[in-house]
Amino acid sequence: MMTHFPYPYEDELLYSVISRYGIRSGNTSHKAILADVFGSENFTACMELQPGIRRIVQNLPLGSTITEEQLLFRNTMFLFYTAFRDEEQAQFIRNEMLGDHGRDIHNAIGLMSSTVKPHSYFQYCPLCNETDLKTLGELYWRRLFQIPGVKICVKHGVWLNQSMVPIRGTTKYAFTAPTLTNCPDDKVQKVTEKALLNHYGYIINNIEKLLNTKYPHRPQEWFYLVYKHHLMKKGYATERGRVDQKRLKKDFVDFYGEELLNILQSSVNGESNWLKLIFQKHRKGFHPIRHLLVIHFLGLTLDDVFYAEESKLNFDHESEAKKPKRKIMKKTMTKEYKEQARNERREAWLQMRKQYPHLSRLQLRKLNPKVYAWLYLYDREFLMDNMPEKLPSKAGTPRYDWEERDKEILKQVINAVQKLLNEEGKPKRITIKRIQEIIGKQCLMPKHLKKMPLTKQYLEQVVEDPEKFRERRIQWAIQELRKDGEPLSLNKIKQKAGVSEVEKFLNIQ
């Protein structure tokens, strides 16, 4: 049993509390600290979800008021990582953390397979550290600042600094406390972009709520249905649940901006992106950060999602919608009903033909799609016999002078690229889509570029892949820092450019 144990500060990681105990106990041996805290040397340091909590509480000094739930809920990331997990998954993770092993914790929350990667080093706010030294006489690691994607202290409106303490240390038994030595960078860099800070502030406030609030655990289908319900209300999905993915993706990127999505490791580029998958029936979990991005985009609060009216979600209706309607009709339709239905739909179709003799096949189909669909399935011969004549194929379509058009489009593309390169503020990636938006017409499709070799060749030179764009952002950040008289530290370049792997690009040069 320990003779003393530090009381946790506000939002302090359990990892940090144990590290402060190590300093106060005077122990220099990592194994000796483990033996004091856990009553066993067979434990390792875990920043997010520390196992062995029950043993810690059992070894606390007599009279200590610290409980298992307090350490679990207030000093680890348990509530954050289990918020969007069902009751069974959350209970499994809880048991692993209270127990002695915790071998499967990271797999259970998807940390190993997630594309949202944790920080490599502990993060800190220089102004928070300054306050802590004055009021507490020591520093501590805050939970919030170690959440993947969190790079701003919203309280002070400054970028976080990176410490010298690796989160996955070379010694897995070590609990390392923050000090002025391993947190040496006291430079303060204000966040100057208000739009970025506003969106970021909302996300970080919701992260804090998840860290400190025990929301009811819902099945994965719950979140899918809540999101689908609000997509329909906002016009992104039809009544049958079909989502307009193209418009949704465009509005989502316009809402947040690529810079913030990259900072939060949640870019939606690529054919199979997480935004598309999260609005499909959930077969796997999604990182809490991505749930928060969707919730904010849909104009919802966490309470709106976790305490949604179940009657509006209509679980039964959703499962019915997935059944193949064609088979249901064939199975339940009697001969008498089918005869009556055939006569009614034939009459309706002939009435439409009489009333609208000049409409084409497609126009008639759109006029009454239900009648058309029924006849196509069950009375196709009648339908084909009573269709309008096919329209003759269009002839004499005016053809472009592609050589002249190539020169004309090339001029417009060059002007669009120059406009993107000369825009003030953070660089925007040069893509075909963005060039077409500036030009105001869809003229750069592959089938067109085959006939415009000059434009195609120029685009191949200027269109940026992610690597080229990151390199340009780094060069821009260096120029801006020099212009402002700022020192060119790696940390500042990373923050300014919004690129994590700056070293790789600087080595290229």
Side-chain angles (χ1 to χ4, degrees):
M1 182 176 290
M2 293 177 281
T3 57
H4 68 282
F5 191 73
Y7 197 85
Y9 293 125
E10 181 184 2
D11 195 44
E12 184 176 15
L13 276 168
L14 178 55
Y15 174 104
S16 175
V17 183
I18 296 172
S19 72
R20 290 196 295 118
Y21 168 80
I23 292 175
R24 295 184 185 187
S25 68
N27 279 330
T28 56
S29 165
H30 303 314
K31 290 291 186 81
I33 294 171
L34 292 175
D36 283 355
V37 176
F38 298 99
S40 168
E41 296 179 359
N42 298 323
F43 283 85
T44 57
C46 179
M47 185 271 288
E48 301 95 346
L49 305 166
Q50 179 64 51
I53 289 177
R54 182 165 288 140
R55 278 180 172 264
I56 295 175
V57 173
Q58 289 171 350
N59 286 331
L60 289 174
L62 290 173
S64 174
T65 59
I66 298 175
T67 65
E68 290 177 4
E69 283 209 343
Q70 178 183 340
L71 293 180
L72 186 74
F73 294 160
R74 300 297 176 196
N75 304 107
T76 73
M77 298 181 184
F78 172 78
L79 291 178
F80 175 76
Y81 277 113
T82 61
F84 298 96
R85 302 279 170 173
D86 61 33
E87 186 66 47
E88 184 180 350
Q89 291 173 317
Q91 190 61 45
F92 171 80
I93 295 167
R94 177 192 178 103
N95 293 340
E96 289 288 298
M97 293 179 68
L98 293 178
D100 291 352
H101 302 295
R103 295 190 187 99
D104 296 322
I105 289 178
H106 286 116
N107 286 330
I109 62 172
L111 203 62
M112 307 306 291
S113 59
S114 176
T115 54
V116 180
K117 301 300 181 185
H119 297 292
S120 299
Y121 293 83
F122 281 90
Q123 312 288 306
Y124 66 94
C125 167
L127 297 181
C128 288
N129 274 10
E130 185 181 329
T131 302
D132 292 343
L133 277 176
K134 288 179 182 177
T135 58
L136 307 174
E138 60 184 341
L139 306 178
Y140 68 92
W141 300 122
R142 285 169 165 78
R143 289 183 304 168
L144 177 62
F145 296 161
Q146 317 317 323
I147 296 289
V150 174
K151 295 187 177 181
I152 289 175
C153 173
V154 174
K155 179 180 178 182
H156 294 110
V158 300
W159 291 95
L160 298 179
N161 292 340
Q162 182 175 282
S163 75
M164 300 169 66
V165 181
I167 287 177
R168 310 279 180 252
T170 51
T171 305
K172 61 182 180 179
Y173 305 105
F175 291 84
T176 307
T179 64
L180 291 177
T181 303
N182 58 36
C183 298
D185 191 354
D186 59 354
K187 300 287 184 182
V188 177
Q189 185 175 359
K190 286 279 185 182
V191 180
T192 55
E193 296 182 37
K194 289 186 178 179
L196 175 66
L197 189 58
N198 288 340
H199 280 315
Y200 216 134
Y202 180 92
I203 299 298
I204 290 178
N205 287 338
N206 270 351
I207 290 173
E208 285 190 283
K209 286 180 184 176
L210 289 182
L211 281 170
N212 297 298
T213 308
K214 193 175 185 304
Y215 285 104
H217 295 290
R218 303 295 192 184
Q220 288 187 2
E221 188 184 15
W222 178 278
F223 303 106
Y224 160 74
L225 292 174
V226 170
Y227 299 157
K228 268 293 178 70
H229 174 72
H230 287 280
L231 282 180
M232 291 177 190
K233 286 180 69 175
K234 289 183 173 292
Y236 289 108
T238 65
E239 290 183 5
R240 291 192 175 186
R242 178 169 293 190
V243 180
D244 185 348
Q245 294 286 355
K246 187 175 180 181
R247 185 165 71 91
L248 175 65
K249 178 181 173 181
K250 181 183 183 302
D251 290 355
F252 188 83
V253 173
D254 288 346
F255 183 77
Y256 283 111
E258 288 185 358
E259 180 189 3
L260 179 56
L261 292 175
N262 285 328
I263 290 173
L264 295 172
Q265 303 180 64
S266 296
S267 170
V268 294
N269 292 326
E271 189 65 30
S272 180
N273 64 70
W274 68 267
L275 184 66
K276 183 177 181 180
L277 296 175
I278 204 169
F279 293 122
Q280 297 174 0
K281 196 111 178 179
H282 292 185
R283 294 178 180 86
K284 65 170 188 173
F286 292 86
H287 197 281
I289 289 288
R290 292 179 173 173
H291 279 284
L292 295 181
L293 286 168
V294 168
I295 290 168
H296 182 33
F297 173 72
L298 293 175
L300 305 175
T301 66
L302 287 170
D303 285 357
D304 291 334
V305 173
F306 285 99
Y307 299 107
E309 292 182 43
E310 191 167 338
S311 59
K312 290 185 178 180
L313 303 185
N314 202 354
F315 283 81
D316 292 334
H317 171 75
E318 186 64 27
S319 61
E320 284 295 318
K322 295 293 179 184
K323 293 180 182 178
K325 290 182 172 56
R326 188 178 300 184
K327 288 183 180 179
I328 292 172
M329 290 173 69
K330 285 184 175 179
K331 186 176 179 180
T332 59
M333 205 183 303
T334 65
K335 187 176 180 180
E336 293 78 12
Y337 172 79
K338 189 172 182 179
E339 188 64 33
Q340 180 186 346
R342 179 188 288 119
N343 292 335
E344 288 176 357
R345 285 159 177 78
R346 282 183 174 186
E347 187 179 341
W349 183 259
L350 292 172
Q351 183 63 33
M352 275 200 304
R353 286 296 322 274
K354 185 179 179 181
Q355 190 174 352
Y356 305 103
H358 302 297
L359 292 188
S360 67
R361 295 183 174 205
L362 182 59
Q363 288 169 329
L364 284 172
R365 179 179 171 179
K366 288 182 177 179
L367 195 61
N368 198 332
K370 289 184 179 179
V371 168
Y372 175 88
W374 197 98
L375 290 171
Y376 186 83
L377 284 174
Y378 303 111
D379 201 3
R380 192 175 304 182
E381 187 177 346
F382 166 84
L383 181 65
M384 294 298 110
D385 289 342
N386 291 277
M387 277 281 204
E389 292 294 325
K390 283 189 177 181
L391 294 174
S393 58
K394 293 180 180 178
T397 305
R399 298 184 178 275
Y400 289 114
D401 179 349
W402 284 103
E403 186 177 345
E404 191 62 35
R405 184 171 175 78
D406 189 9
K407 294 175 183 176
E408 178 189 332
I409 294 297
L410 178 60
K411 288 180 184 177
Q412 295 178 27
V413 169
I414 291 172
N415 290 336
V417 170
Q418 290 303 315
K419 183 176 180 181
L420 284 170
L421 291 173
N422 295 329
E423 274 187 356
E424 292 186 3
K426 288 207 170 180
K428 292 180 181 177
R429 183 177 165 189
I430 299 173
T431 63
I432 287 179
K433 181 181 176 183
R434 187 160 274 140
I435 292 170
Q436 288 186 141
E437 287 174 355
I438 294 173
I439 294 175
K441 52 188 173 185
Q442 302 286 324
C443 56
L444 303 177
M445 297 173 70
K447 64 180 182 182
H448 297 151
L449 289 175
K450 286 179 182 178
K451 303 172 186 177
M452 299 190 295
L454 297 177
T455 305
K456 183 180 179 182
Q457 184 181 8
Y458 178 72
L459 286 171
E460 287 171 350
Q461 295 171 2
V462 299
V463 167
E464 295 174 314
D465 59 19
E467 291 285 300
K468 280 186 180 178
F469 182 49
R470 290 190 193 103
E471 188 173 353
R472 184 158 68 90
R473 280 159 60 191
I474 290 169
Q475 295 300 331
W476 170 83
I478 291 171
Q479 290 175 7
E480 289 295 305
L481 289 170
R482 281 176 175 159
K483 193 188 298 181
D484 297 339
E486 295 277 351
L488 294 179
S489 67
L490 281 177
N491 205 30
K492 287 192 176 294
I493 296 173
K494 286 179 184 179
Q495 291 172 351
K496 190 76 175 173
V499 177
S500 56
E501 298 178 352
V502 169
E503 297 90 339
K504 181 175 77 171
F505 293 95
L506 293 179
N507 286 338
I508 291 173
Q509 302 164 13

